[in-house]
Amino acid sequence: MPHDAPQTIYLADYTPFTHLVEQVHLVFRLAPDVTRVISRIAFVPNPDAPDGPFFLHGEQLKLIEAKIDGQPVTPELSEAGLTCPVPDGPFTWEAEVEISPQTNTALEGLYMSRAMYCTQCEAEGFRKITYYPDRPDVMAPFTVRIESDLPVLLSNGNPSGRGEGWAEWTDPWPKPAYLFALVAGDLVNHPDRFTTRSGREVELNIWVRPGDEKKCAFGMDALKRSMTWDEETYGREYDLDVFNIVAVDDFNMGAMENKGLNIFNSSAVLASPETSTDANFERIEGIIAHEYFHNWTGNRITCRDWFQLCLKEGLTVFRDQQFTGDMRSRAVKRIDDVLNLRARQFREDNGPLAHPVRPESFVEINNFYTATVYEKGAELIGMLKRLVGDEGYAKALDLYFERHDGDAATIEDWLRVFEDATGRDLSQFKLWYSQAGTPRVRVDEAWSPGAEGGTFSLHFRQETPPTPGQAEKDPLVIPVAVGLLSPNGDEVVPTQVLELTQTSQVFQFEGLATRPVPSILRGFSAPVIVERKTDAKERAFLLAHDTDPFNKWEAGRGLAKDVLTRMVSEGADPAPAYLEALEAMARDESLDPAFRALALRLPSQDDMAQTLFDAGRTPDPLQIHAALRHLRKAVAEHMGSLLSDLYDDMAVHGPYRPDATDAGQRALRQGALALLSLVDEGTRAQAQFEAADNMTEQLGALTCLLEIGAADAALSAFRSQWQSDRLVMDKWFGLQTAHAEPDKAAQVASRLTEDSDFDWKNPNRFRAVIGGLAMNAAGFHTPSGAAYALVADWLIRLDPVNPQTTARMTTAFETWKRYDGDRQGMIRDNLERIAATPGLSRDTTEMVGRILGA
Ligand code: ARG
Ligand code: ZN
């Protein structure tokens, strides 16, 4: 069959499928090399669809036979699927196909991960299992029979039959094919139960490989807390008798919300104090919640087409962020989320891969599971909530669930429930879904004293820079939360939300006794970049006095960036005022330790590169790296004994618990240790490494030792201890590339790829080494270009095996236009070398083309 040129799919071309599916029945005869899939599907004509040929998606399938109403037919086959003449009315389609799970290294469709069968169908993987209308607006109830001698056989819905060598599952809820799942293996379960508030008894299971059952308790607890939270916060109950989670070692992403059978990357569910860090625990809690919440926002109400992906992902991310905020500290969670948004989404939105939250075209939909769709998508929900208020939000969500349950919905449907529930016109707000790029909001202020008190004015100007395919931008609705402080630190105007709707707008505050200090964009009320002239004095004032925890932290961050900018561009020394402000923060026992830990953390190298670039400079990664080192050392020297006091005081006693309080103390203690290691030659880190009884402290110590180049002995001890734990060994691999000295990083990565435990076909291991190198900014951008070439070589090697992970990792190069001509030239050569690889996947071709700006 000829290779078709990759096609671009457009939102504007949407048409409904010719038929509706009333029922799907599937039989799987599992065998590693030749699995038979037998389907029986009841189709009826779709009264809402225009006439057209009957087409079923199907890729890499071997068709054995096909029948319509029991009569053999001979469909016309292509690379993408089949067409076939069909009766005018309802009919039954039957097909038998062969697939090969064993050789499916792309990890999409039905594949094998270490002797276990599993599936990943979102977005378009079901078409690699059998012929089907593989699109989210075709929803149907499924029954599935699995035939295999393996002891555990799972699919969606409720169990409906079991015998020697087979099991049957029935899912009563109509669903699109992307939510189909099947698992078969030699697995053990960690069981539990949950009673929903209306009294449904639900059996809960986490299924894992024998040996991993001791790592399930935390995930199970997180699941039960998620179920309770969704009942209490959104009024949403679970709707089947069973909820199964399975841990899989080879998985392209974090996890997948298949109806009643969530499949997880084992790194996103397995946890124990000895093997998982505090950050791992928090991530697992968030992902379990995310996938569980999809049962309503994604499964009961799904997406009409893949352009609407943010309908389920933005909303579900927003919901999991709310959940974590409720479980832990809301202020700290908000700062973490903004750090992540800026690190990944702003980076994307300000480079060649910028795209709207609802894209209007794509070549490969897997390339659009992005920070923009997910994280900026979640920010849009947060802005909506701020604009209509908590009550309006609750009313709109109730209406959404009531009106659209069972639907494949659109962003238009979503916005209409807000309009209908609150009476607010959202036509301008809708631009947030179609306009790419991070808006810049410039603020100028004026003060005019008066007899009745003075007037303070804030003048806002908004502008969104051009992005690929979008030269001109319209003004957006931007909710800017603002508060005013008096010079003695009292809050004279509490937080209020100003609504920007025009390019230029002035807001006035009257009757003020003295000129206030404004606190702007409190809580990071919109995903924008604020540009405002300020000075170190004012930032230090806000750091000390702002009542809004986000802006308090933000003031410290601004100070750090100013200091680093001056160190890089003028060779200045670290400003004493900054060191003092930081010290005051670290000392302030009225503040949550987790917050203090965040305040101590300096901006990342990548963040500084973007900051310098935005200020009109060409960032030099080595200079940034050196300035950060210098500043860290200066902070350590300035703080002196405070650090060892903090280190001692923040020790957590008693058995390890992953909760926010203990984790916050450990985070602050780790911040102190990292600084101390720069002045004590790693003595404390070495001692902590040897004494640690939990992974947070063991890995924390190892990181400090790596940073000062004294980790050789610890690295080999760590390896001997954890040789047999794949997830811990991923950390061992990743840490070494991420923390290698800039001039050695490429060499370290290259050596690790020759290690006998470098299983490059496993996405977690590949990402650990190659992704770790890409994250090591100074090492990745080493002037020789060695790291660029190494990453490109490995992407070329991985592409035929696993296009999805390859394409995702090309984003290592997305910031190339920030750098100097030499670096740009070397990166361009490597990107062009990837692009020229014969047979390159559609996924990687699209990504490299977009990064190059072709
Ligand atoms: N829906 C899944 C989640 O957000 C992720 C699926 C990712 N799929 C993909 N092709 N990248 O939980
Ligand atoms: Zn999701």
Side-chain angles (χ1 to χ4, degrees), residues 240-408:
L240 289 167
D241 303 333
V242 194
F243 189 80
N244 283 315
I245 287 178
V246 182
V248 176
D249 288 334
D250 299 279
F251 205 66
N252 277 334
M253 46 244 162
M256 179 62 210
E257 70 265 20
N258 317 297
K259 185 80 187 189
L261 178 53
N262 287 2
I263 298 184
F264 275 61
N265 187 320
S266 46
S267 77
V269 53
L270 300 180
S272 76
E274 298 72 35
T275 59
S276 314
T277 63
D278 289 327
N280 294 152
F281 278 97
E282 183 170 337
R283 171 168 180 263
I284 288 167
E285 180 178 280
I287 297 183
I288 296 248
H290 179 96
E291 305 311 334
Y292 175 73
F293 296 158
H294 267 316
N295 191 53
W296 274 94
T297 51
N299 301 2
R300 288 287 287 261
I301 305 179
T302 192
C303 302
R304 186 192 71 173
D305 54 69
W306 291 118
F307 297 102
Q308 322 293 329
L309 183 57
C310 63
L311 178 76
K312 73 177 178 81
E313 295 304 346
L315 177 55
T316 306
V317 169
F318 181 72
R319 276 152 50 69
D320 83 55
Q321 291 175 345
Q322 286 183 302
F323 170 76
T324 302
D326 285 351
M327 295 294 126
R328 294 165 180 261
S329 149
R330 204 164 293 182
V332 167
K333 174 61 176 163
R334 186 64 186 143
I335 297 167
D336 275 335
D337 287 340
V338 174
L339 275 168
N340 178 49
L341 183 82
R342 285 178 174 157
R344 298 174 46 242
Q345 200 278 323
F346 280 23
R347 170 176 154 124
E348 182 168 81
D349 225 359
N350 290 282
L353 296 176
H355 57 275
V357 171
R358 180 169 72 174
E360 269 144 40
S361 70
F362 61 75
V363 173
E364 170 53 63
I365 185 58
N366 283 330
N367 289 336
F368 285 85
Y369 285 73
T370 59
T372 296
V373 170
Y374 276 64
E375 272 77 29
K376 188 174 180 181
E379 290 300 316
L380 304 200
I381 312 291
M383 282 194 286
L384 264 178
K385 182 160 181 281
R386 221 165 265 119
L387 291 170
V388 303
D390 291 353
E391 241 175 80
Y393 179 78
K395 267 171 69 186
L397 267 285
D398 286 346
L399 182 59
Y400 181 60
F401 292 122
E402 185 192 311
R403 187 184 282 176
H404 291 295
D405 187 11
D407 287 353

Side-chain angles (χ1 to χ4, degrees), residues 561 564-566 568-569 605-621 623-624 818:
K561 284 190 178 183
L564 283 162
T565 300
R566 255 176 284 119
V568 170
S569 53
Q605 298 176 53
D606 193 62
D607 190 355
M608 281 315 298
Q610 183 69 38
T611 302
L612 290 162
F613 180 76
D614 286 342
R617 296 175 201 281
T618 301
D620 175 347
Q623 257 185 5
I624 294 172
R818 281 181 195 156

Side-chain angles (χ1 to χ4, degrees), residues 552-623:
K552 187 180 177 72
W553 170 83
E554 180 82 323
R557 172 115 315 207
L559 270 179
K561 284 190 178 183
D562 291 348
V563 168
L564 283 162
T565 300
R566 255 176 284 119
M567 289 172 71
V568 170
S569 53
E570 299 157 24
D573 276 328
Y578 171 67
L579 301 176
E580 268 143 39
L582 206 60
E583 178 184 345
M585 180 71 40
R587 269 189 203 288
D588 188 346
E589 285 176 15
S590 71
L591 296 170
D592 177 358
F595 180 90
R596 285 146 81 195
L598 280 172
L600 270 187
R601 215 161 95 186
L602 295 179
S604 71
Q605 298 176 53
D606 193 62
D607 190 355
M608 281 315 298
Q610 183 69 38
T611 302
L612 290 162
F613 180 76
D614 286 342
R617 296 175 201 281
T618 301
D620 175 347
L622 292 177
Q623 257 185 5

